[in-house]
Amino acid sequence: MQHEYQDILVSDISSGVLTITLNRPEAYNALRTQLLSEVAEVLDQAAQNDDVRAVVITGNEKVFAAGADIKEMAALDAVGVLNDPRVLHWRRIAQFSKPLIAAVNGFALGGGCELVMHADIVIAGDNAQFGQPEINLGIIPGAGGTQRLLRTVGKSMAMQLVLSGEFISAAQARDFGLVSEVTIPERSLERATELAHKIATKPPIAVRQAKEVLLKAYETTLDSGLSLERKAFTLLAATEDRNEGIAAFMEKRKPNFTGK
Ligand code: HXC
């Protein structure tokens, strides 16, 4: 069953997986405040709910999201932008502690491309197009599109996207590490969901620790990243799931992870 919010659809939890569908087709899923607040709200709830092990986020067959809502943005002056509640919603999305997997078909532009970069794994249909066209509006990316993009695709491609506003294809996005797999458009959601289900069977504390430590690599030195990895590795030695995983391997049986 799909639960209807104003701007998104949220599925029931199925074997640990929740799916969020951006649902403003008339505005190419433009990320107005309402939409972002709903995504942040659902992720906050998912973070608290032990039954949710991974979240899939998707759009429709033609568009993931065409960016910030330009009509809404037009009404804001500098103080309005400074106090924009969307900044908080973006932060909540970035802080989601469980795996977030994006299935992207069609346009992922501006804030839409930035939302993609908030996902941990990205599966794209071969009709996907990624871009940061903010420069055409006299602005620059404002939800991580300079920082996350550069760290993801490297300097030359990040500069190319942000300065020229040109779009890149799914295949180029994969070559540059923005996307991990490209499928036919009809399969992207299925593949993302398949991965989410697989991750949902893994020990949840180890999954969360892995996400946290991997993301730290964006913003720390190798030395402190390795130190954090070692601490997380040590912490996991105190979990029941680690004992269960090792015992199951020794006994040649499937592990039964309990999240403890
Ligand atoms: C509001 C949008 C929109 C957007 C599309 N629409 N993108 N509305 N904000 N970002 C609306 C259009 O107004 C139109 O509605 C309908 O969606 C379909 O769009 P068309 O342009 O008619 O479709 P098409 O010709 O197929 O072109 C698709 C497109 C184009 C290439 C995606 O719509 C486009 O360039 N959109 C803007 C992309 C963009 O610049 N994104 C960056 C935004 S700034 P009506 O009612 O008019 O028919 C940003 C900053 C992030 O994201 C900062 C985060 C803090």
Side-chain angles (χ1 to χ4, degrees):
M1 201 182 119
Q2 298 271 31
H3 303 270
E4 265 195 61
Y5 289 66
Q6 205 170 318
D7 287 355
I8 62 176
L9 300 171
V10 179
S11 73
D12 281 336
I13 303 163
S14 160
S15 309
V17 177
L18 187 83
T19 303
I20 299 174
T21 306
L22 309 179
N23 189 33
R24 286 188 77 203
E26 71 290 354
Y28 274 34
N29 290 337
L31 306 170
R32 63 175 170 187
T33 305
Q34 179 69 26
L35 186 150
L36 276 182
S37 74
E38 289 178 5
V39 171
E41 181 63 35
V42 170
L43 292 181
D44 282 349
Q45 287 168 9
Q48 305 280 333
N49 185 345
D50 286 347
D51 294 339
V52 179
R53 301 288 185 84
V55 174
V56 173
I57 187 162
T58 193
N60 59 49
E61 64 286 352
K62 257 179 45 185
V63 57
F64 179 75
D69 190 314
I70 298 173
K71 293 163 194 166
E72 189 182 48
M73 211 164 55
L76 296 178
D77 61 10
V79 174
V81 172
L82 184 71
N83 295 328
D84 193 337
R86 277 177 298 188
V87 176
L88 255 178
H89 302 322
W90 280 111
R91 198 168 302 144
R92 289 160 73 196
I93 295 168
Q95 285 172 350
F96 181 53
S97 55
K98 298 178 183 178
L100 179 64
I101 305 176
V104 181
N105 287 338
F107 295 114
L109 305 176
C113 190
E114 290 169 309
L115 183 55
V116 165
M117 287 185 272
H118 281 69
D120 303 306
I121 302 174
V122 184
I123 306 299
D126 59 19
N127 66 344
Q129 295 191 66
F130 300 84
Q132 299 287 165
E134 288 91 341
I135 200 78
N136 299 324
L137 303 170
I139 55 172
I140 63 169
T146 60
Q147 303 305 300
R148 288 197 185 86
L149 189 63
L150 188 135
R151 284 166 169 78
T152 307
V153 302
K155 177 183 160 192
S156 186
M157 182 52 87
M159 287 282 186
Q160 185 172 321
L161 285 164
V162 172
L163 301 183
S164 78
E166 273 186 12
F167 303 163
I168 56 170
S169 66
Q172 280 174 296
R174 182 193 49 210
D175 291 348
F176 279 88
L178 185 57
V179 154
S180 59
E181 283 182 25
V182 178
T183 65
I184 55 168
E186 298 73 29
R187 168 123 174 93
S188 59
L189 178 59
E190 191 181 72
R191 175 64 181 141
T193 306
E194 205 172 271
L195 277 167
H197 277 128
K198 184 168 281 183
I199 292 167
T201 66
K202 308 295 179 195
I205 302 177
V207 167
R208 287 204 307 276
Q209 289 293 314
K211 171 169 174 168
E212 183 186 337
V213 176
L214 278 159
L215 284 180
K216 215 25 133 196
Y218 267 145
E219 55 186 300
T220 192
T221 60
L222 178 61
D223 202 40
S224 38
L226 290 171
S227 164
L228 184 70
E229 180 190 84
R230 177 54 39 192
K231 290 203 164 75
F233 191 87
T234 306
L235 175 99
L236 289 167
T239 63
E240 288 177 18
D241 279 347
R242 182 260 205 182
N243 294 340
E244 168 62 11
I246 292 176
F249 175 81
M250 304 285 203
E251 293 158 20
K252 300 190 189 297
R253 62 171 172 84
K254 274 198 153 186
N256 175 28
F257 295 123
T258 58
K260 296 202 175 109

